[in-house]
Amino acid sequence: MNFIACCGTDIGTSRKVNQDAVSIKTRQIHGTDCYMAIVCDGVGGLAQGEYASSCMRERLERWFLYEYPQIDGNEEAEKIVLERLRKTVELQNKVLYEYGLSRGIRCATTVSALLLAGKSYFIVHVGDSRIYLLDGKVNRLTEDQTLAAREVKMGILSKEDAQRDGRQNVILQSVGADRKVDILTYCGLAAGNFSFLLCSDGFYHHAAERELLQLFYDKNYDSSEQLGKAIEGMIGYLKDRGEQDNISAAVIQYRENI
């Protein structure tokens, strides 16, 4: 299969610390090209967000490299993978929550992680970072766990109003903030040519969906270096448009006939 992958992050224009953690890991498992892409965004207003996000990223990386290859590819594999991803995030929630209790602080992060095995994908998600599938149209695969998103679901706010509402920055779920966390999981199968985009809220706030499609689906890249320059260029545009938060993105692009 013909995959190209790259990620990038930037501190933004007003933050003193980059609290985002982003990575892509790859390896062949049982003869299949597999990728693990992760975006974590340390929760602003709480302590040590950069510690929380990096710990969550590292735990998922270890799971992918050392535990995932041990799962047999039987008919129960899909269910097992989703359950193991959920358990991995639950464990990190416990670790960060107890870390905060021991120091008298609250320490938390979002997480949006994608496991891609060939064309099969598995997602674990908490918070307001996002994962998109770009396949000729923009498919948002994750749900924002924010106050504004909840108000939209309840019919109190329209989607358009929510984009301008301050409640879109109020996160209802994060890893480490509370003893219990609502973890969302998804799975599916991509078809044809496609790209996956994972990003923190600093990336998508000022990015139009048509731009995401044009930059990461319509364009073909010959190398991860070229893709990395495209991500870096988009981050620059977002900063020019006034984005002050940390900005992070990870992209995996697949082309059938290259």
Side-chain angles (χ1 to χ4, degrees):
M1 289 190 175
N2 303 289
F3 289 101
I4 292 175
C6 196
C7 58
T9 187
D10 190 279
I11 195 171
T13 60
S14 68
R15 300 292 191 260
K16 294 181 179 179
V17 176
N18 190 345
Q19 295 188 321
D20 288 357
V22 57
S23 72
I24 299 176
K25 298 293 183 183
T26 182
R27 64 178 298 178
Q28 270 218 343
I29 301 174
H30 307 308
T32 300
D33 292 324
C34 298
Y35 289 80
M36 187 86 195
I38 306 162
V39 170
C40 302
D41 180 358
V43 176
L46 302 184
Q48 300 183 32
E50 67 278 11
Y51 173 78
S53 61
S54 63
C55 287
M56 183 71 262
R57 180 197 63 201
E58 290 166 8
R59 185 173 293 277
L60 282 166
E61 288 173 344
R62 291 195 300 271
W63 177 86
F64 172 67
L65 293 173
Y66 304 113
E67 296 182 41
Y68 172 61
Q70 300 176 30
I71 298 174
D72 293 330
N74 57 38
E75 63 224 17
E76 294 292 315
E78 181 179 291
K79 180 180 177 181
I80 293 170
V81 168
L82 290 176
E83 183 59 28
R84 298 277 178 84
L85 284 169
R86 178 187 296 276
K87 290 293 186 183
T88 301
V89 175
E90 282 180 349
L91 177 58
Q92 191 59 43
N93 183 75
K94 181 176 184 292
V95 169
L96 288 173
Y97 179 71
E98 291 179 353
Y99 173 85
L101 282 181
S102 69
R103 287 160 177 78
I105 61 173
R106 294 181 80 208
C107 175
T109 182
T110 73
V111 60
S112 294
L114 169 81
L115 168 63
L116 184 62
K119 293 187 176 183
S120 297
Y121 66 84
F122 305 85
I123 289 170
V124 63
H125 169 77
V126 177
D128 67 344
S129 297
R130 290 181 180 175
I131 301 179
Y132 295 91
L133 170 61
L134 311 175
D135 60 0
K137 57 186 181 295
V138 178
N139 307 282
R140 199 172 99 196
L141 301 180
T142 54
E143 173 187 333
D144 292 347
Q145 293 175 309
T146 63
L147 182 55
R150 188 176 72 180
E151 302 277 86
V152 170
K153 187 179 286 189
M154 295 172 64
I156 298 171
L157 274 178
S158 69
K159 288 184 178 180
E160 294 73 22
D161 289 340
Q163 292 176 1
R164 300 182 295 271
D165 196 288
R167 285 170 287 184
Q168 71 174 326
N169 297 316
V170 180
I171 299 176
L172 301 179
Q173 296 292 327
S174 58
V175 181
D178 296 297
R179 190 177 299 277
K180 298 290 185 180
V181 60
D182 182 16
I183 301 168
L184 305 179
T185 58
Y186 314 85
C187 64
L189 187 66
N193 295 328
F194 60 84
S195 299
F196 284 98
L197 165 66
L198 296 79
C199 57
S200 61
D201 62 336
F203 190 91
Y204 65 71
H205 279 157
H206 294 285
E209 289 192 346
R210 67 178 182 277
E211 289 180 295
L212 304 181
L213 202 61
Q214 290 168 356
L215 189 60
F216 299 124
Y217 176 78
D218 292 342
K219 289 188 177 181
N220 296 324
Y221 297 97
D222 295 326
S223 66
S224 59
E225 290 77 13
Q226 282 189 359
L227 179 56
K229 288 180 180 177
I231 294 171
E232 184 180 338
M234 187 62 187
I235 288 174
Y237 293 143
L238 297 173
K239 290 164 71 175
D240 290 342
R241 293 171 190 174
E243 182 55 60
Q244 298 181 353
D245 201 356
N246 305 148
I247 308 171
S248 297
V251 178
I252 303 171
Q253 185 180 77
Y254 170 79
R255 292 294 179 264
E256 287 189 318
N257 301 314
I258 294 179

